[in-house]
Amino acid sequence: AGARVVVVDIDGEGAERTAAEIRAQGGLALATRADVSQTAEVQAYVRLAVDTFGRIDYFFNNAYNEGLKRYQDATKIMPAEEIPNSTDPKAAEAKAKLDEAAQSFQKAVLINDRRAIAYDNLAIMLALQGKFADAGPVVEQGLANAEPKDGEEYGRLKIRKDSLYNNAVVERIKAGDPDGAIALLEGILAKNPNDYDVLTLAASTSF
């Protein structure tokens, strides 16, 4: 009760409909169109909210919920673990849903780039599409940017780093590119010379 709301959506008309529903029930709301993947547009709606209402007390990041919904849509088509390497024609549809989920989680990262779970979810969506080369840098960025650098969410992201790198090496081996696999391992070890988990994964990778 008493909340003042700024509704933001890439669909400006949809944002206005939501704001109108809030106003119809006695609330105070305004709508604006913005693409949250564009930093300048995010800055603009933040300024709008502060200039209009004086401050921001709470962000509700619906991009995260949209990402989860798209992921659930993909897993209704086939189990997540089967999607990356499946030759079933339905896999293309599932990967398309995962791509939509990745786009939503990318927006979630832009909205709050200090949450480890945002990077983790984005990396998972990319990895499930077999895009290990894209997922790895997302995890690295998350480990650098996320705060605090402890707790369950950050710990999961560290584990994800090791598993993604190992998967990327295996993918190169399967593709008949042992030189690429070795180069990737050398790069991993050069960046993490004292990381016991990475060393263990490297040692357990068979050629």
Side-chain angles (χ1 to χ4, degrees):
R4 296 169 292 180
V5 181
V6 177
V7 182
V8 182
D9 200 315
I10 197 167
D11 175 6
E13 293 181 358
E16 179 53 45
R17 286 194 297 271
T18 300
E21 291 177 8
I22 295 171
R23 292 193 294 267
Q25 297 183 48
L28 185 58
L30 60 88
T32 186
R33 181 202 174 280
D35 180 351
V36 298
S37 68
Q38 303 300 312
T39 301
E41 295 187 28
V42 173
Q43 292 172 337
Y45 79 68
V46 168
R47 281 196 300 271
L48 174 65
V50 173
D51 291 346
T52 304
F53 296 129
R55 71 186 193 203
I56 296 175
D57 295 314
Y58 185 75
F59 278 104
F60 178 74
N61 182 357
N62 197 49
Y64 178 82
N65 293 325
E66 285 296 317
L68 288 178
K69 183 177 185 302
R70 297 294 177 267
Y71 170 72
Q72 290 166 351
D73 289 342
T75 56
K76 287 176 183 176
I77 298 170
M78 65 173 48
E81 65 274 10
E82 295 180 8
I83 295 173
N85 300 312
S86 176
T87 57
D88 189 312
K90 295 185 295 184
E93 182 184 356
K95 286 185 177 181
K97 294 295 183 183
L98 290 176
D99 187 57
E100 292 175 8
Q103 292 178 43
S104 291
F105 286 129
Q106 177 66 63
K107 292 178 181 179
V109 167
L110 291 168
I111 292 170
N112 186 351
D113 66 355
R114 294 293 182 265
R115 286 294 302 276
I117 194 172
Y119 295 95
D120 192 30
N121 286 328
L122 174 56
I124 291 170
M125 296 307 109
L126 292 170
L128 286 174
Q129 297 174 73
K131 298 179 179 178
F132 298 110
D134 296 327
V138 168
V139 172
E140 291 286 4
Q141 184 182 14
L143 291 171
N145 294 346
E147 296 292 345
K149 296 193 184 309
D150 57 20
E152 181 180 355
E153 289 184 8
Y154 195 79
R156 283 171 53 190
L157 198 58
K158 290 175 68 177
I159 293 171
R160 195 78 58 204
K161 177 192 72 171
D162 299 336
S163 64
L164 285 174
Y165 277 145
N166 203 44
N167 283 331
V169 171
V170 172
E171 285 300 306
R172 280 164 173 76
I173 296 170
K174 288 181 178 178
D177 181 19
D179 290 340
I182 292 170
L184 180 58
L185 275 174
E186 289 175 344
I188 295 169
L189 296 176
K191 291 178 65 177
N192 305 275
N194 300 312
D195 190 321
Y196 178 79
D197 291 332
V198 171
L199 292 170
T200 300
L201 283 171
S204 63
T205 300
S206 60
F207 286 84

